[in-house]
Amino acid sequence: MYFSQRGAAAMLAIIVIAFLTIIGSGFAFLSSTDVRTAASYRDGVMAQYLAEAGAKRAVSEMRKSATGEWAGETREFDIGRYRVEAVIARGVDREIISTGIVNNAARKVKLTVSSDSPYNYVAYSGEKLNLAGIIIKGNVGSNADVHISGGLILDQQNGAHSHIDAVGDIRTDSVYAPYKNEHAAPKALLLFDSALRQKFQGAGNIPTIIKHNSGSVKWSTWSSPGWLVNKVYYINPEPDYPFYIRSDIEGPGVIYSTQAITIDDGARLTNNIIIISEKSINIGLSKINNCVLAAGRDISNSDSAVFQGTAVANGSISITLDMKSQSTLEAQNKTLLNPFLPTAWNSGSVKIKSWVSSE
């Protein structure tokens, strides 16, 4: 009996010890899990901070660059590292991707950044800006004076108020334009140099230029493909033979000319085309829809043209139309993301358009 009781007590003690061991192991496991969870959370927070530090470094480097481009970098720290991929140029925008890594934790931030570019305006000129009979959906500006008569100025689609910026004087006739900013800071405009020309020449298709000579009148045209299909067309006509676009052309795509361009009577240009001239762009009795015009000198039109798009010129811009044409100055969102938009970035102030964080 005595030995039986001793055996039962021993068995009970073993069971209790085993039970306590299991409980202790459970607490130890939970404790180690909590430690790992806390460490993982800590690493994730530090990785996030590193990713943001890399993104801010990229923005700082972009502001120093005339083109807003940067090769990126990987930088090591005691706690981990960040890796910034090469800044991607998307027209007026720049895209930054930065990843922070601490142990097994990784966090990524993706930014879309824009600069104080003249392409943020639906029309911007280096000299006088003269508009008449236009529906304006966006901001307009000039490094000189602005004169707007007739037409309408509408607020932008995102709810922001459209406004007029001018380094010089602003005059409006028969236009409701309450948001005026006279004596604004001038903006850097298009830079046409040998490097830009080589960029377009190297990437472009070079079409055959056809010269025409009718007595004292000379001009040149090209065998237009009709559809640009996302290609760049580089044109280098002779200075004595002004270049005319006389056929219908559909984008998306880019037309770059080293000489002045005249969009002649009857021509129709549609669907995200960028038309660039190192000299001037003249709009005849034509229809231009959803296009961006960029000129090293002036942009002007005839009274009966129909123009819907964006215009940027180092010289003056004069677009005067009949309200019946329903011509519109409006931001061409897809075209403004084209990487061949000339001088799309201005160093200086930048604006963060979107910021997305992810694991």
Side-chain angles (χ1 to χ4, degrees):
M1 183 72 177
Y2 173 73
F3 290 104
S4 176
Q5 291 177 343
R6 288 182 60 188
M11 183 61 69
L12 180 61
I14 292 171
I15 294 172
V16 171
I17 291 171
F19 181 69
L20 292 175
T21 300
I22 293 172
I23 293 176
S25 299
F27 278 119
F29 176 77
L30 291 175
S31 178
S32 64
T33 300
D34 288 342
V35 170
R36 288 195 300 271
T37 301
S40 177
Y41 176 77
R42 177 204 63 204
D43 291 348
V45 171
M46 290 192 294
Q48 179 69 28
Y49 287 151
L50 285 174
E52 293 178 4
K56 291 177 181 178
R57 172 67 190 281
V59 171
S60 176
E61 292 297 323
M62 289 163 55
R63 292 184 62 184
K64 301 175 186 178
S65 167
T67 61
E69 298 174 1
W70 188 47
E73 69 173 10
T74 297
R75 178 170 289 192
E76 298 283 346
F77 300 88
D78 292 339
I79 60 172
R81 65 186 184 277
Y82 69 62
R83 181 180 67 251
V84 181
E85 301 177 21
V87 175
I88 302 172
R90 301 196 184 281
V92 296
D93 294 341
R94 297 292 181 269
E95 187 177 279
I96 303 168
I97 299 176
S98 175
T99 304
I101 302 172
V102 177
N103 296 324
N104 293 323
R107 298 292 184 272
K108 180 181 292 185
V109 296
K110 182 177 180 180
L111 282 69
T112 301
V113 181
S114 182
S115 76
D116 189 21
S117 165
Y119 292 106
N120 291 328
Y121 294 75
V122 295
Y124 200 96
S125 62
E127 299 175 5
K128 184 175 181 180
L129 176 66
N130 181 36
L131 305 175
I134 308 279
I135 298 173
I136 300 171
K137 296 181 180 180
N139 304 324
V140 296
S142 171
N143 284 351
D145 300 333
V146 173
H147 179 206
I148 302 177
S149 60
L152 297 170
I153 299 179
L154 306 176
D155 285 342
Q156 300 170 60
Q157 293 180 351
N158 60 7
H161 295 305
S162 296
H163 55 83
I164 304 170
D165 293 339
V167 178
D169 298 327
I170 298 174
R171 188 172 56 140
T172 56
D173 301 323
S174 303
V175 176
Y176 177 66
Y179 304 101
K180 301 178 182 179
N181 182 22
E182 292 185 353
H183 312 302
K187 298 190 183 305
L189 292 173
L190 312 182
L191 176 63
F192 289 95
D193 56 12
S194 58
L196 182 69
R197 180 180 288 190
Q198 290 172 7
K199 172 184 176 181
F200 282 92
Q201 186 175 10
N205 297 272
I206 302 178
T208 301
I209 300 297
I210 305 170
K211 295 193 297 184
H212 304 268
N213 192 338
S214 177
S216 60
V217 180
K218 298 179 180 180
W219 73 97
S220 61
T221 58
W222 65 322
S223 51
S224 166
W227 296 273
L228 299 183
V229 292
N230 282 310
K231 293 181 179 179
V232 177
Y233 284 85
Y234 175 84
I235 301 166
N236 187 22
E238 294 182 17
D240 293 339
Y241 285 82
F243 178 70
Y244 280 70
I245 295 177
R246 288 185 161 169
S247 55
D248 294 349
I249 302 174
E250 183 174 347
V254 179
I255 299 171
Y256 182 100
S257 174
T258 60
Q259 301 298 328
I261 296 176
T262 295
I263 304 171
D264 204 11
D265 296 353
R268 300 170 65 95
L269 281 67
T270 60
N271 191 23
N272 292 314
I273 301 175
I274 300 177
I275 302 170
I276 307 164
S277 169
E278 294 182 9
K279 303 295 176 61
S280 297
I281 298 176
N282 306 303
I283 307 171
L285 182 57
S286 55
K287 292 187 177 181
I288 303 174
N289 183 24
N290 200 15
C291 297
V292 172
L293 307 185
R297 294 183 184 171
D298 304 328
I299 295 176
S300 60
N301 76 291
S302 71
D303 291 339
S304 300
V306 177
F307 174 65
Q308 293 177 301
T310 302
V312 176
N314 288 353
S316 64
I317 296 178
S318 180
I319 304 178
T320 58
L321 299 167
D322 186 338
M323 276 292 291
K324 294 179 181 178
S325 69
Q326 292 295 298
S327 292
T328 306
L329 285 169
E330 186 173 5
Q332 308 305 302
N333 296 326
K334 292 182 179 179
T335 308
L336 296 182
L337 296 180
N338 193 303
F340 283 95
L341 203 64
T343 323
W345 181 270
N346 281 345
S347 57
S349 62
V350 299
K351 176 183 179 182
I352 296 176
K353 298 176 67 174
S354 68
W355 177 301
V356 179
S357 299
S358 61
E359 297 185 11

